[in-house]
Amino acid sequence: MFDSYVGINPAYQIPELQYALEKVGVKALVAAKGYRQQNNYGMISHIVPELASSKPGELRSKQLPALSTVIIDSDDHLPGAIKFSDLYDLSSERDISKIEYLQAKICPDSGVNLQFTSGTTGQPKAALMSHFGFVNNGIHIGRRNELDRKEHRMCVQVPLFHAYGMVIATMAGMSHGATVVLPAAGFKAADSLAAIIREKCTVILGTPTMYVDLVRRIVESGAKLETPEIAATGGATCSPKLFADIKHSLGVRKVKTVFGMTETTAVIFQSLFEESPEDVQQTVGHVMDHYEAKVVDQEGNTVPFGTAGELWVRGYGTMLGYWGDEKKTKETIDADRWLRTGDQFVLREDGYGKIVGRMKEVVIRGGENIYPREVEDYLNTYPKVLEAHCIGVPDERTGEELCAYVRPKNPSDTITREELKRFCEGKLAYYKVPKYVRVLNDLPKTTSGKVQKFKLVEMFLKERESANK
């Protein structure tokens, strides 16, 4: 059994980080000393208080028994941790020989990477990817993005703990000899723009949210970009207006779109080399080479082309399964290896597809998956809240934002967004904190007591429409 790399979101707070480390039995943890306002070493020490008194590389933790090594990228020598810059001097000839021996034993179908992706209950699941899926998806993505046609320089605005950064960017770039440019540790439009100009980038990768900010920065600065040729967007739906803004402001000859999911090792639909503006703006692209796709009804029967149903896919990139969760794996992948995506989809006869809704409740905010149940469960612990229900609402910049409808315990109470935001600090990642909060003493429900979330969406859209008049 070979160990796999695990990508962890640096926005995670202590409870989320602890869950992730426990879930997959992390043996060695590599992290920066801090990220933005977060003290990573401090959070790790909170989870494993034995760290400070341990010899580097010999941690024995009651909470995380699998974790033995903590490596921190810092100029300081931190108690119990190995300094990242010292790693080069730690390996012996015997260690190097052992690695060379193991390399020849790695099976292409074995696991290479674990990616956390939230489930319908809000608890993150860890999807295990194979070497075969990683390498091949990178090759085909690179071809669709024309990385094999010349020596490209890619501005990668997305984080590397996502399948987007790992496969669409890194694996595709490595497979075709492209230069990968990382503007900064975290996304900032100013850093991206500076990197594009300085490094003469020809390909740009990002989520719609990032492009909204980048376009705004270009317009405000009056910058004229000369080198970009292709802009690829993915991670969330992109509006036709944003597609047009990207092409005009960045001066690219093509805007491409990708669609996929963690469980498929990234991309399953992507733009072709030549296609109409309508295909780019109104679809998620054409099914990938060597992938199968079908749309089925609630009984699993294939529906005709042009008919909405749930998208199922099958191919080399299908995950090996959810780590330590055989039940969820079987619910997602059937006996014939068809993977249920949970997306309501329309498949055209020519191989192009379009998302028309979601079978799941997942809210995709700027490429980040948010499952309302997790946020609801936490908001329900707030002393003034009787019940909370979260919905996704349209947003021009991020694609979707989270709106929380809360019912107060005391009908006369007021509950503001700011107080709920403070309540979430340190417990939920920033992107999971609802942007909108609405207080209702009476929530729309069915006769069986279930909240009708579609009516909450209607209420929000009606409110927005009235405000815009």
Side-chain angles (χ1 to χ4, degrees), residues 7-24 26 38 43 46-47 64 116 118 122-124 368-371 374-375 378 424-433:
I8 295 178
N9 192 331
Y12 276 0
Q13 299 299 305
I14 288 173
E16 299 161 312
L17 175 60
Q18 181 172 332
Y19 174 85
L21 297 175
E22 289 178 343
K23 177 67 178 177
V24 299
V26 168
Q38 293 189 176
M43 290 200 301
H46 180 88
I47 298 171
L64 300 175
F116 280 101
S118 295
Q123 286 284 12
E368 298 281 12
N369 285 3
I370 307 171
Y371 278 82
E374 179 188 9
V375 182
Y378 185 69
C424 294
E425 286 178 355
K427 300 298 182 182
L428 293 178
Y430 70 92
Y431 59 84
K432 298 177 184 177
V433 179

Side-chain angles (χ1 to χ4, degrees), residues 69-100:
T69 306
V70 174
I71 302 164
I72 301 293
D73 186 10
S74 170
D75 293 332
D76 304 319
H77 285 280
L78 301 173
I82 295 174
K83 192 176 177 181
F84 185 79
S85 59
D86 291 343
L87 284 178
Y88 300 103
D89 301 323
L90 295 179
S91 59
S92 64
E93 290 297 327
R94 181 180 179 183
D95 294 329
I96 295 172
S97 297
K98 184 177 181 180
I99 291 172
E100 290 175 344

Side-chain angles (χ1 to χ4, degrees), residues 48-64:
V48 283
E50 303 95 337
L51 179 63
S53 59
S54 298
K55 184 178 179 181
E58 298 181 10
L59 174 65
R60 298 291 182 269
S61 168
K62 181 179 180 181
Q63 185 68 44
L64 300 175

Side-chain angles (χ1 to χ4, degrees), residues 49-241:
E50 303 95 337
L51 179 63
S53 59
S54 298
K55 184 178 179 181
E58 298 181 10
L59 174 65
R60 298 291 182 269
S61 168
K62 181 179 180 181
Q63 185 68 44
L64 300 175
L67 183 63
S68 63
T69 306
V70 174
I71 302 164
I72 301 293
D73 186 10
S74 170
D75 293 332
D76 304 319
H77 285 280
L78 301 173
I82 295 174
K83 192 176 177 181
F84 185 79
S85 59
D86 291 343
L87 284 178
Y88 300 103
D89 301 323
L90 295 179
S91 59
S92 64
E93 290 297 327
R94 181 180 179 183
D95 294 329
I96 295 172
S97 297
K98 184 177 181 180
I99 291 172
E100 290 175 344
Y101 171 78
L102 290 174
Q103 284 178 329
K105 302 293 182 181
I106 296 174
C107 172
D109 293 320
S110 64
V112 65
N113 177 236
L114 281 161
Q115 296 256 340
F116 280 101
T117 175
S118 295
T120 54
T121 63
Q123 286 284 12
K125 300 187 295 293
L128 180 61
M129 319 299 174
S130 71
H131 290 268
F132 190 85
F134 244 54
V135 173
N136 281 276
N137 210 220
I139 290 172
H140 292 300
I141 291 167
R143 286 175 181 167
R144 291 278 182 99
N145 279 338
E146 305 181 25
L147 299 185
D148 59 335
R149 299 192 175 190
K150 61 174 287 187
E151 291 186 13
H152 279 289
R153 299 176 67 81
M154 296 192 300
C155 176
V156 179
Q157 305 178 94
V158 297
L160 299 182
F161 62 85
H162 272 175
Y164 197 159
M166 286 295 299
V167 183
I168 300 172
T170 306
M171 285 306 303
M174 291 175 60
S175 299
H176 296 283
T179 299
V180 175
V181 177
L182 304 176
F187 171 74
K188 288 184 179 179
D191 293 330
S192 294
L193 179 56
I196 292 167
I197 296 172
R198 182 180 65 251
E199 302 294 335
K200 297 179 172 57
C201 295
T202 53
V203 176
I204 303 170
L205 303 180
T207 65
T209 306
M210 294 172 177
Y211 280 112
V212 169
D213 291 349
L214 181 58
V215 167
R216 180 183 296 140
R217 183 71 182 181
I218 292 171
V219 172
E220 290 175 350
S221 66
K224 300 294 182 183
L225 304 184
E226 298 179 355
T227 59
E229 301 176 19
I230 295 170
T233 177
T237 54
C238 191
S239 69
K241 181 180 183 300

